[in-house]
Amino acid sequence: MPAVEAVVRTLLEATVPMAYCHGSSHAMVYNDRFAGVLGPKHPSAWGQRATSVHHELWTRPGLDTVLDEVFAGGSPVHDDGDTPGLNRRQNLVRDEVHFVGSYSAVRDGDGSILGVLVIAVEITSAAHGIEAVIDLVTALASAVSVDDVATTALQHAVSTLGCETASICLGGGEEGGWRVASRRETELWDEAAARLPLIWSNLRAGARSPEVAVAESGQPYVSGSGVELILPMRGHEVAGSMGYLGMQRHLSDARMVVLKASALLVADAMARALQYEARRGAAELLQRTLLPQVLPLVPGVTLAGRYQPVTTATAAGGDFYDCFTLPDGRLAVTVGDVMGRGVAAVTVMGQVRAGMRGAALTNSDPNAVFTALDELVGSLDVSRPAVVVDGQSSPYAGASGFGGELFVTALFGILDPATGELVLASAGHLPPAVALRRTEPNGPGDPGRRAEFAPVEPGPPLGIPGHRPVLRIVLEEGDALVAFTDGLLEPHKRSLAQGLESLLRTLSLMASTDPRRICQHLLDELVGPNGLEDDCALLVLLRDSVVHRVASVLVPPHAGAVRGSRLWVREQLESWGLGEEVTAAAVMGVSELVTNVVLHAGTPAMVSLELDGRLLVTVDDTGERGAPHRQTGEGVAVSRGRGLALVEAISDSMGHERGVNGSTVWFEIELDDRAVEPVPDL
């Protein structure tokens, strides 16, 4: 048949993958290019039925009859793309190889259809580009803060787009300047590095760089060799650029479309993050300003408090905790919750907390304190007017965040550190948990603790006058009191009863008695990775006999001061009687963290030491954090990862906390009797 011979001759000479399927059985012959499409199925596929060779495709709806339809009717068919399940390119981000196919009838001289000509065009690169954009959209959907967006974008550029180095340049740094974050393929990126905030490098005033030039002009930059690309990120009040280094030498139009789309997506996500951080920062600053900045140091007692806001909220809540000493040496502790969110809820929280302090200093009896607060809350509630809605009086919702009706709960207690006697009363608040230290564990793996809720009977919430029964218990040495608000117990559809049960179980299984660790462990176990649905406040009080020692120093933001911080830490720890092994480890950790702050945050570093059975070291800065600016060779990005790994290796635990005023990085070293030589208090 001349028509068949002509088609076969054409496909054998063609430079694109082509196959001819003859007759109603669709026996297939093909050229060398199509053999590459078949992969390991060649050469056994020669002369076989096409539907048998590509059985994984022909079982899909719409494709199972395409050859029959073209053979029967003669109308050509063009599909949108298939993945024959091949894995012949190990350098691709995805394993699949994508093709689009065209199916045309081959006719004899009299017009009868002899077979079907198949032309396959590989679109793997374009398909992977689309998948990469979809992946970025998915990842950015859960990125809330500026650091989240930057980390997601940089990680995507390196791991998915195959860049050697990626950077983000963003306006709004110190004094209106520019700041840069970057991520390098060779950078050590382990769990320790991922837990820490990024380090944003602030560019010097007047400093020029390709990233800044692109951000200001809005015009992309491509190096002559094509291996470096910088794209503008502009719009929605965002001025910045996204840089890619180590690209392929020829940037195809399809790849440029993917990269430009990625930069636009990052710009939109960054705009949302900037708005979120501005609103959340103001709310968090207001909230934290009204909470105690430091907890009192009381002999025989160790304290820790945490306020944990909702991850995605931009309005502050009314949860609070407080602890303060009374004139007679006893310790007052409290947690409470003002229903609602927003400025009004936080304002009421601050007034209630201040009123509680004033009332307790006058008369520390719990019922006397609550009676005074009843009057305060009642006066605040009455001051909110009512309006008429549909002919009926209704509380004025306005901007209060709680509808004009105050609902405030609180737990109040007085502890005598000398005897351990604790007096508790509740104004509608959940009872605290008491973790009791037993002298003998029940068996292997038992930490020797038992947790139970203090049997305090709740009275009416604040603002509703009434009697609140008083409970008296004794905390023995090693016992811990854990007071909390309900946001800790009810994340993600878990009932209150389930939350209470989980709290007791978690406390019973904890071996650590350190209040700071108890706080963190409870948040990790009860909240988990999904975050909170409501703010929570947490206060842990441990009765012990450990002597507390605290010292702090402010390190100026220049490299020469790092040596001074090391000398100060060594001198301080030696004066406390710590051995050389612990002292050397702490000095090494402080040196790494202070260097990080001085080089990248560019602000003073506050170094604090706390000794109370374990050594806690914290390093605070007031700067903006992110990945370091691009370096050559073994740059700061690499050394930063190794430095963090070193700090983690020399410590028993480490972590960070990000606040509106900067970041805190901390690590702890457990001590045994040999690590500390008793030093008398002066």
Side-chain angles (χ1 to χ4, degrees):
M1 287 178 277
V4 173
E5 293 178 0
V7 167
V8 171
R9 187 164 50 252
T10 299
L11 71 86
L12 291 176
E13 297 174 354
T15 58
V16 297
M18 296 178 65
Y20 171 66
C21 302
H22 183 71
S24 59
S25 64
H26 310 308
M28 187 170 65
V29 294
Y30 46 83
N31 62 7
D32 290 341
R33 296 276 185 172
F34 201 89
V37 175
L38 295 173
K41 296 179 180 180
H42 173 73
S44 60
W46 184 269
Q48 300 298 314
R49 292 173 57 91
T51 53
S52 299
V53 174
H54 281 308
H55 60 85
E56 71 278 2
L57 293 182
W58 302 113
T59 57
R60 299 181 185 179
L63 288 177
D64 51 353
T65 60
V66 63
L67 290 178
D68 293 333
E69 291 175 357
V70 174
F71 185 78
S75 298
V77 174
H78 180 78
D79 65 48
D80 293 329
D82 299 308
T83 57
L86 305 182
N87 183 14
R88 58 186 177 79
R89 288 193 176 186
Q90 298 299 325
N91 62 324
L92 290 176
V93 175
R94 310 272 182 177
D95 287 340
E96 299 90 352
V97 181
H98 297 257
F99 294 90
V100 293
S102 178
Y103 308 85
S104 305
V106 176
R107 300 177 184 272
D108 202 354
D110 59 1
S112 60
I113 298 177
L114 301 175
V116 178
L117 180 65
V118 181
I119 301 176
V121 179
E122 184 175 346
I123 58 167
T124 301
S125 178
H128 288 172
I130 294 172
E131 291 171 346
V133 172
I134 293 173
D135 287 346
L136 181 59
V137 171
T138 304
L140 289 175
S142 58
V144 178
S145 67
V146 170
D147 275 10
D148 292 341
V149 173
T151 300
T152 300
L154 297 174
Q155 186 70 11
H156 176 82
V158 171
S159 62
T160 303
L161 300 181
C163 304
E164 292 179 5
T165 301
S167 62
I168 286 181
C169 181
L170 196 62
E174 289 185 356
E175 299 180 357
W178 296 89
R179 47 181 172 148
V180 179
S182 70
R183 171 86 166 89
R184 141 194 327 265
E185 184 183 19
T186 56
E187 180 181 350
L188 180 62
W189 193 256
D190 54 13
E191 265 187 42
R195 286 199 303 266
L196 292 175
L198 295 171
I199 303 175
W200 289 93
S201 297
N202 290 306
L203 300 180
R204 295 187 305 273
R208 303 300 301 171
S209 70
E211 292 92 344
V212 172
V214 168
E216 291 180 340
S217 67
Q219 300 299 316
Y221 164 79
V222 182
S223 65
S225 60
V227 297
E228 183 174 13
L229 171 68
I230 305 175
L231 296 172
M233 296 192 311
R234 299 182 69 87
H236 303 290
E237 305 301 326
V238 173
S241 61
M242 184 84 189
Y244 306 92
L245 179 65
M247 309 290 293
Q248 60 192 37
R249 292 188 176 276
H250 173 66
L251 291 172
S252 65
D253 292 341
R255 190 164 178 79
M256 280 294 293
V257 168
V258 170
L259 295 172
K260 288 181 178 180
S262 300
L264 289 174
L265 288 170
V266 174
D268 288 341
M270 193 66 74
R272 294 192 301 270
L274 288 169
Q275 293 177 358
Y276 162 81
E277 286 200 349
R279 298 169 63 183
R280 179 179 172 84
E284 188 177 338
L285 180 60
L286 175 61
Q287 175 84 33
R288 296 190 184 277
T289 300
L290 296 176
L291 291 173
Q293 302 301 306
V294 294
L295 295 175
L297 294 177
V298 179
V301 176
T302 305
L303 295 162
R306 289 287 293 273
Y307 166 71
Q308 194 75 11
V310 178
T311 306
T312 57
T314 56
D319 298 60
F320 67 92
Y321 67 87
D322 200 2
C323 186
F324 53 94
T325 54
L326 299 175
D328 59 6
R330 293 182 300 163
L331 191 66
V333 294
T334 181
V335 294
D337 188 2
V338 178
M339 184 185 70
R341 302 190 62 80
V343 174
V346 177
T347 302
V348 171
M349 178 269 286
Q351 290 173 300
V352 169
R353 177 172 167 260
M356 184 175 289
R357 283 200 172 212
L361 292 173
T362 303
N363 185 346
S364 61
D365 178 74
N367 268 288
V369 172
F370 284 149
T371 299
L373 292 176
D374 286 338
E375 297 178 3
L376 172 63
V377 173
S379 66
L380 292 173
D381 199 15
V382 170
S383 67
R384 298 183 180 276
V387 296
V388 175
V389 179
D390 295 332
Q392 295 182 347
S393 178
S394 169
Y396 172 63
S400 67
F402 40 75
E405 291 184 347
L406 292 181
F407 186 84
V408 184
T409 65
L411 180 78
F412 181 76
I414 299 291
L415 174 71
D416 186 339
T419 65
E421 183 182 37
L422 177 65
V423 180
L424 280 174
S426 170
H429 201 80
L430 291 169
V434 180
L436 303 171
R437 184 70 178 178
R438 296 197 303 269
T439 55
E440 293 294 335
N442 289 335
D446 180 12
R449 299 191 72 84
R450 177 170 56 87
E452 60 187 28
F453 289 109
V456 56
E457 182 181 346
L462 297 179
I464 303 176
H467 179 71
R468 284 90 176 183
V470 175
L471 173 70
R472 296 179 183 275
I473 59 176
V474 176
L475 295 181
E476 303 292 344
E477 185 172 327
D479 293 349
L481 180 77
V482 181
F484 52 89
T485 58
D486 59 0
L488 178 68
L489 304 178
E490 297 181 297
H492 305 286
K493 299 182 180 180
R494 181 171 58 195
S495 68
L496 179 61
Q498 291 172 328
L500 293 170
E501 181 182 351
S502 298
L503 174 64
L504 290 184
R505 182 172 59 253
T506 302
L507 288 174
S508 298
L509 296 176
M510 280 197 66
S512 176
T513 59
D514 176 62
R516 184 187 180 102
R517 286 195 177 184
I518 292 176
C519 287
Q520 187 61 54
H521 190 68
L522 287 176
L523 290 171
D524 291 341
E525 291 296 317
L526 299 182
V527 177
N530 294 324
L532 292 165
E533 291 185 350
D534 190 13
D535 297 2
C536 80
L538 182 60
L539 181 66
V540 178
L541 179 153
L542 174 73
R543 186 161 181 254
D544 59 18
S545 58
V546 176
V547 176
H548 297 267
R549 301 177 187 275
V550 178
S552 300
V553 69
L554 187 66
V555 181
H558 56 80
V562 177
R563 179 175 179 274
S565 69
R566 294 196 295 264
L567 295 176
W568 177 83
V569 171
R570 175 170 291 280
E571 180 181 349
Q572 193 66 58
L573 297 185
E574 288 177 349
S575 71
W576 288 352
L578 267 67
E580 175 59 27
E581 182 178 352
V582 173
T583 299
V587 169
M588 186 180 304
V590 167
S591 179
E592 292 292 340
L593 297 182
V594 171
T595 300
N596 230 13
V597 173
V598 171
L599 289 182
H600 305 300
T603 72
M606 176 65 73
V607 180
S608 300
L609 307 175
E610 183 177 337
L611 180 66
D612 57 0
R614 58 59 171 127
L615 177 64
L616 169 66
V617 181
T618 60
V619 177
D620 299 271
D621 68 66
T622 58
E624 297 171 288
R625 308 290 293 255
H629 186 49
R630 182 167 64 238
Q631 305 287 331
T632 56
E634 290 289 306
V636 177
V638 179
S639 63
R640 173 179 182 260
R642 292 172 180 168
L644 296 177
L646 176 62
V647 174
E648 186 175 39
I650 64 166
S651 62
D652 293 290
S653 61
M654 69 173 297
H656 84 277
E657 297 173 5
R658 176 69 186 269
V660 294
N661 294 321
S663 300
T664 298
V665 183
W666 57 270
F667 65 90
E668 289 183 340
I669 300 176
E670 293 290 344
L671 306 178
D672 54 30
D673 295 337
R674 297 169 298 173
V676 182
E677 302 172 3
V679 176
D681 289 324
L682 299 178

